[in-house]
Amino acid sequence: MTGLIPLLALLTVGLACGFLRAPLRAWTAASTVALLLATLYGGASWVTLGLTWLAFGAIAVVLNHRPLRMRLLSQPMLETYQRIAPQLSETERVALEAGTVGWEGELFSGAPRWGKLLAQPAPQLSSEEKAFLEGPVAEVCALLNDWEITHERNDLPPQVWDFLKRHRFFGMIIPKQYGGLGFSAHAHSAVLQRLAGISTTASSTVAVPNSLGPAELLLHYGTEEQKNHYLPRLADGREIPCFGLTNPWAGSDATSIPDFGVVCRQLVDGKEVLGLRLSFEKRYITLAPVATVIGLAFRMLDPERLLGDQEDIGITLALVPRATPGLEIGRRHLPLNIPFQNGPVSGKDMFVPLDCLIGGRAYAGQGWRMLVECLSVGRAISLPSSATGSVRMAAIATGAYARIRKQFGMSIGRFEGVEEALARIGGLSYAVSAVSRMTATAVDQGEKPAVPSAIAKYHATELGRAIIQDAMDVHGGKAAILGPRNYLGRAWQGAPVGITVEGANILTRNMIVFGQGAVRCHPYVLKLMRAAALADPQRRIDEFDRTVFGHVGFAVSNACRAFVYGITHSRVGSAPADPYTRKFYRKLSRYSAALALVADISMLLLGGKLKQKERLSARLGDVLAYLYIGSAMLKRFEDQGRPELDRPLLAWAMYECVYRMQQALDGVLRNFPVRPVSWLLRALVFPIGRRETTPGDRLGHRVATLLMYPNEARDRLAEFCFLTPTAFNPIGQMNAALAAVIEAEPVERKVAKAIRAGTIGAPTADAQLIEAVQYGVIDEAELALLQRTRAEIAEIIAVDDFETADLVAGRRAESGRPALRSAA
């Protein structure tokens, strides 16, 4: 046994140095001291000590002497790397070079610096932004009758369109110098959340002009002439924009669009004009039916070489007025009864001058790069914010309904099956709102968050779909019957729309999150690719040596960190000082190290084949995504002052995130094609097995309870929701009634007790209340309270019915009965 002491000493020192990320020379010095002590006091034989010193010395000399290391190790590694490294397509290269790396890079490091995250300022609305949210946004929310929009008109009413234009809702991202509102991304997100909680059609209508489209592209790439002409008109609604990218034959594979424009000369008003003859077919284009200016993506060709020597110039973007001869705006699409304006656009041999190119001739052929750079900003806000607004309202509505609706003599929210659904709704809503908040904040900090925007888009819409599903189940028949009183049905119907647009979720999860994240966020992968591509041989080997051994040290450190965190079940390691959240920071640090380790080994052994192993890539992307979501929740908790009442929401969502990360990594290891490596990785990542569990029942009970009564945690979850009890806002009406219903519960129990005791024997509810007053069970004030709350409850649980003729789309109900009770 004593013969193993030198080896154990070296392993212990290596494990400690790896966990602490000590530099190579520090490891060499510490290992030398440890081996010396083992020699003096360990009792091992001189043969064992001699062999150990010889092996250690050889390794230490080679690693620390760069010229020797470069000749013996780095040069062969470079030659091998050049053979197996995946070749990036031009599309992938542009996508990787677009955008910036923020906190997601820390998560890929294996040792996130939590102080860096917590030092970022909390997002705040300016006084002007708050006034807009409480003024024009609240006013338009009061105007929105979603049943009228989705069933009777299949469009926003004219007065709503006018209101949106007049108050510059379409110019939130346009700077004030061009007549826009110049709002922050946080304010932009808040507006969309409030609108989405009332009408998905309205939020989609406002989101598109402020997302990937003409305004965003003009701000970044437009000529001064284009900016000065279009931006003021887009800001005040004189121009309504749309952008055409998707072709029937090229959806997610946008770089393969068959739409083209051929450079040519044509007489226009007697003058020869250099321009393009465009032929294109676009579909799924939001706002196209009402757009006055259409953005187009197409492949630009110059067969006569009128602009230079290049014949295939590449994807190019243009801005075309609706009145352009040959432009055809097709009939409308109807996306799952969410009737935001959407439809096809086409043209054949349509001539436009080169002045229509966004950015002018200088940006011809740069369209894909322009789109990718702008997409990361727009995608970070539009869909995550709309999904967040919907899930916030669903959580508030379902919690209130579960308290108000009674069966078997008690609130349905007290049944454990309903509690389970409420816990998911509360915990996942907390997660969705946190990730939406953090991603919008990243935009305000100057980031172009390519990877976080994909994470936010995918998980906000997917978790949103799960939340709406649970909300529907809790409401039962109330949610299944469409009509003015139904506030969930359209959100449930429309959930797949958000999942499909701006990059289908299957593609986003399987190919983008990890596919881009592994290269963009990894501290060494992109550097290795660049080093191996250097033209100068000496500089190439020098940079490659420095980078590859930095990468080796990084991988060894992550293996040590993953093992130590795993074997201690995340009970060691530095973390911010709050005792309650420390365990969560450590768990995220553990899975950060595990992700970095498994990702490194996957890229090393599978190389370019990893792109085809989409399920492995998707699971690794899930780990990165849940690390990001967990970070967002902890950041939100800190920014809001660590509110004690929010702890159940945070804890439920964190345990769920950690469990999902564990399952995703387990899925990678179970399906890893190189089985011996899979066994080794499992020993490092899960040395004591899979110990993470889903949130417990008691924690779920606490989350469900928070949703069912007025409190500060519930108010924070409802941030930006429009809960004013206006005529067309049944959730606002229900929320306003909740406190009175709770106040009436003890009185209801007194009446129920008297009925069971035989004190009250009247057959009808009204007569029972009269007897309750007569026999002194309740007093007059309590009678008034019960009568008022029972009337409110009756309205809350009511569903709509129609004459058959009234169900004809576009026809108004003629029954004379108001769709909803008056706000008064």
Side-chain angles (χ1 to χ4, degrees):
M1 184 66 183
T2 56
L4 295 177
I5 289 178
L7 181 60
L8 291 174
L10 289 176
L11 288 175
T12 302
V13 169
L15 196 63
C17 288
F19 186 84
L20 297 173
R21 300 224 150 151
L24 177 61
R25 290 185 179 180
W27 167 80
T28 305
S31 297
T32 302
V33 171
L35 192 53
L36 183 60
L37 291 174
T39 301
L40 295 176
Y41 303 107
S45 69
W46 288 107
V47 173
T48 300
L49 290 171
L51 292 174
T52 305
W53 275 106
L54 184 63
F56 169 70
I59 293 171
V61 168
V62 171
L63 292 181
N64 284 278
H65 190 268
R66 278 200 76 201
L68 185 61
R69 185 177 76 193
M70 290 166 65
R71 186 172 69 254
L72 295 180
L73 300 177
S74 299
Q75 186 62 47
M77 291 170 71
L78 173 60
E79 294 169 2
T80 301
Y81 178 83
Q82 289 175 322
R83 287 198 308 271
I84 69 171
Q87 298 299 310
L88 294 179
S89 67
E90 180 64 15
T91 299
E92 291 172 317
R93 186 189 64 78
V94 170
L96 288 172
E97 292 177 356
T100 58
V101 177
W103 177 248
E104 67 277 13
E106 289 289 324
L107 296 174
F108 229 108
S109 73
R113 292 172 290 178
W114 295 109
K116 180 180 178 181
L117 174 68
L118 300 182
Q120 295 174 2
Q124 299 288 337
L125 295 175
S126 68
S127 56
E128 183 182 2
E129 291 167 344
K130 290 178 182 176
F132 187 79
L133 198 64
E134 300 304 325
V137 181
E139 291 175 45
V140 79
C141 284
L143 293 175
L144 294 170
N145 177 347
D146 202 48
W147 180 248
E148 177 191 8
I149 292 167
T150 61
H151 179 71
E152 297 172 2
R153 291 184 178 275
N154 279 308
D155 192 10
L156 298 175
Q159 66 269 28
V160 171
W161 276 105
D162 292 342
F163 189 96
L164 295 175
K165 294 176 182 179
R166 188 167 67 252
H167 291 277
R168 300 175 188 259
F169 277 77
F170 301 145
M172 286 191 288
I173 66 169
I174 296 176
K176 292 180 179 179
Q177 70 187 85
Y178 296 110
L181 296 174
F183 279 174
S184 65
H186 184 53
H188 178 186
S189 174
V191 171
L192 294 182
Q193 288 184 47
R194 178 159 286 191
L195 290 173
I198 299 297
S199 169
T200 305
T201 303
S203 67
S204 299
T205 301
V206 171
V208 169
N210 292 288
S211 182
L212 175 62
E216 181 82 15
L217 291 164
L218 287 169
L219 283 170
H220 287 87
Y221 311 107
T223 66
E224 286 304 312
E225 183 180 359
Q226 289 172 337
K227 291 178 182 178
N228 291 329
H229 174 76
Y230 279 114
L231 291 178
R233 301 171 66 84
L234 291 168
D236 63 19
R238 282 177 289 167
E239 300 277 12
I240 299 295
C242 73
F243 190 86
L245 176 61
T246 302
N247 179 280
W249 303 102
S252 298
D253 185 15
T255 56
S256 298
I257 51 176
D259 309 301
F260 63 92
V262 179
V263 181
C264 63
R265 299 183 187 276
Q266 180 166 314
L267 288 176
V268 178
D269 296 330
K271 296 181 179 179
E272 189 176 68
V273 176
L274 186 62
L276 292 162
R277 192 166 296 282
L278 293 170
S279 293
F280 57 91
E281 184 181 4
K282 306 291 187 181
R283 65 178 180 181
Y284 310 145
I285 312 305
T286 300
L287 295 185
V290 295
T292 61
V293 59
I294 292 88
L296 292 172
F298 56 92
R299 184 166 294 281
M300 186 171 173
L301 305 174
D302 187 11
E304 298 181 28
R305 303 184 187 274
L306 298 176
L307 299 180
D309 295 332
Q310 193 172 359
E311 183 173 335
D312 186 350
I313 295 174
I315 292 178
T316 303
L317 310 182
L319 209 52
V320 180
R322 185 186 183 106
T324 302
L327 179 63
E328 296 289 337
I329 305 292
R331 300 189 301 174
R332 288 179 60 183
H333 301 314
L334 181 57
L336 290 174
N337 284 333
I338 308 297
F340 56 89
Q341 294 283 340
N342 187 280
V345 181
S346 62
K348 185 169 179 60
D349 293 332
M350 183 182 83
F351 181 81
V352 296
L354 286 186
D355 291 346
C356 287
L357 299 185
I358 296 177
R361 290 172 60 173
Y363 282 95
Q366 301 297 310
W368 181 239
R369 177 176 65 84
M370 295 159 69
L371 288 172
V372 171
E373 288 179 349
C374 289
L375 178 63
S376 64
V377 176
R379 188 167 57 185
I381 299 171
S382 56
L383 286 167
S385 300
S386 295
T388 299
S390 295
V391 303
R392 285 185 191 273
M393 285 293 266
I396 297 307
T398 309
Y401 187 82
R403 183 65 177 263
I404 291 169
R405 179 63 163 154
K406 293 180 172 59
Q407 294 285 279
F408 305 100
M410 67 179 188
S411 297
I412 62 172
R414 301 301 185 195
F415 292 94
E416 288 195 358
V418 175
E419 270 193 353
E420 186 178 13
L422 286 174
R424 285 195 298 268
I425 291 170
L428 295 180
S429 295
Y430 190 87
V432 169
S433 54
V435 74
S436 175
R437 177 182 188 270
M438 183 156 143
T439 311
T441 302
V443 175
D444 280 331
Q445 293 170 347
E447 301 281 356
K448 292 182 179 178
V451 175
S453 68
I455 291 171
K457 187 269 176 181
Y458 175 86
H459 286 277
T461 54
E462 287 290 346
L463 295 178
R465 174 160 60 177
I467 291 166
I468 292 296
Q469 183 71 49
D470 275 328
M472 292 285 290
D473 289 350
V474 172
H475 280 76
K478 167 70 177 176
I481 303 301
L482 287 175
R485 291 183 176 92
N486 188 313
Y487 42 81
L488 288 177
R490 294 305 194 202
W492 178 78
Q493 282 184 311
V497 176
I499 283 164
T500 301
V501 300
E502 289 193 16
N505 275 8
I506 291 177
L507 170 73
T508 301
R509 175 176 178 259
N510 284 40
M511 299 179 68
I512 295 178
V513 173
F514 182 77
Q516 289 190 16
V519 180
R520 290 186 54 81
C521 304
H522 196 288
Y524 292 102
V525 168
L526 202 54
K527 291 178 183 178
L528 275 175
M529 296 170 71
R530 289 170 177 163
L534 291 172
D536 180 64
Q538 186 56 44
R539 187 167 166 230
R540 181 169 61 238
I541 187 62
D542 185 71
E543 287 294 323
F544 186 82
D545 170 79
R546 183 179 291 107
T547 305
V548 78
F549 278 96
H551 194 165
V552 169
F554 172 78
V556 170
S557 173
N558 285 323
C560 296
R561 291 177 66 82
F563 180 77
V564 172
Y565 274 124
I567 205 165
T568 61
H569 201 43
S570 307
R571 288 188 173 91
V572 298
S574 61
D578 177 41
Y580 182 76
T581 56
R582 187 176 295 136
K583 59 181 176 289
F584 299 133
Y585 287 104
R586 285 174 174 164
K587 284 184 180 294
L588 294 185
S589 292
R590 173 192 177 181
Y591 284 97
S592 171
L595 170 66
L597 171 65
V598 177
D600 262 336
I601 300 301
S602 299
M603 288 186 284
L604 174 66
L605 296 182
L606 301 180
K609 293 181 180 179
L610 186 56
K611 289 195 293 185
Q612 282 76 49
K613 297 286 185 182
E614 292 180 25
R615 281 174 284 194
L616 291 183
S617 178
R619 294 180 184 114
L620 289 168
D622 288 343
V623 180
L624 176 61
Y626 286 117
L627 284 169
Y628 184 80
I629 294 169
S631 302
M633 292 189 291
L634 290 171
K635 172 62 171 164
R636 169 187 175 159
F637 186 73
E638 293 288 339
D639 285 349
Q640 294 180 339
R642 301 175 182 170
E644 188 169 348
L645 205 57
D646 285 18
R647 285 183 176 184
L649 292 165
L650 172 68
W652 193 100
M654 286 299 304
Y655 285 127
E656 182 70 16
C657 271
V658 171
Y659 178 77
R660 293 188 184 197
M661 284 189 283
Q662 172 189 262
Q663 297 305 102
L665 279 173
D666 178 61
V668 172
L669 299 180
R670 280 190 293 108
N671 294 279
F672 199 79
V674 186
R675 299 311 298 158
V677 173
S678 170
W679 302 331
L680 175 61
L681 286 174
R682 185 173 291 279
L684 291 171
V685 173
F686 299 122
I688 57 175
R690 289 174 290 134
R691 303 288 297 276
E692 312 294 355
T693 60
T694 54
D697 292 347
R698 285 195 298 175
L699 181 57
H701 169 76
R702 293 169 64 195
V703 172
T705 301
L706 283 176
L707 295 184
M708 291 192 292
Y709 75 98
N711 60 78
E712 292 181 0
R714 188 173 183 270
D715 291 343
R716 281 186 287 271
L717 199 61
E719 186 182 23
F720 306 137
C721 289
F722 181 69
L723 293 174
T724 305
T726 55
F728 306 126
N729 189 6
I731 296 178
Q733 295 169 9
M734 179 167 58
N735 192 66
L738 179 60
V741 171
I742 293 173
E743 182 186 355
E745 286 178 347
V747 186
E748 290 280 13
R749 286 195 291 269
K750 288 197 291 185
V751 173
K753 183 178 179 181
I755 292 172
R756 289 195 301 270
T759 306
I760 299 173
T764 65
D766 291 340
Q768 288 168 355
L769 292 185
I770 294 171
E771 285 190 5
V773 175
Q774 290 174 349
Y775 296 131
V777 177
I778 60 175
D779 58 28
E780 292 290 342
E782 291 172 325
L783 171 65
L785 175 63
L786 288 185
Q787 288 174 331
R788 184 175 74 253
T789 56
R790 285 186 176 186
E792 290 176 327
I793 292 171
E795 179 60 33
I796 287 167
I797 68 173
V799 297
D800 296 285
D801 54 83
F802 306 88
E803 296 291 345
T804 300
D806 294 337
L807 294 177
V808 177
R811 178 168 177 167
R812 294 181 180 277
E814 298 173 353
S815 64
R817 184 193 59 199
L820 291 172
R821 61 189 169 89
S822 167

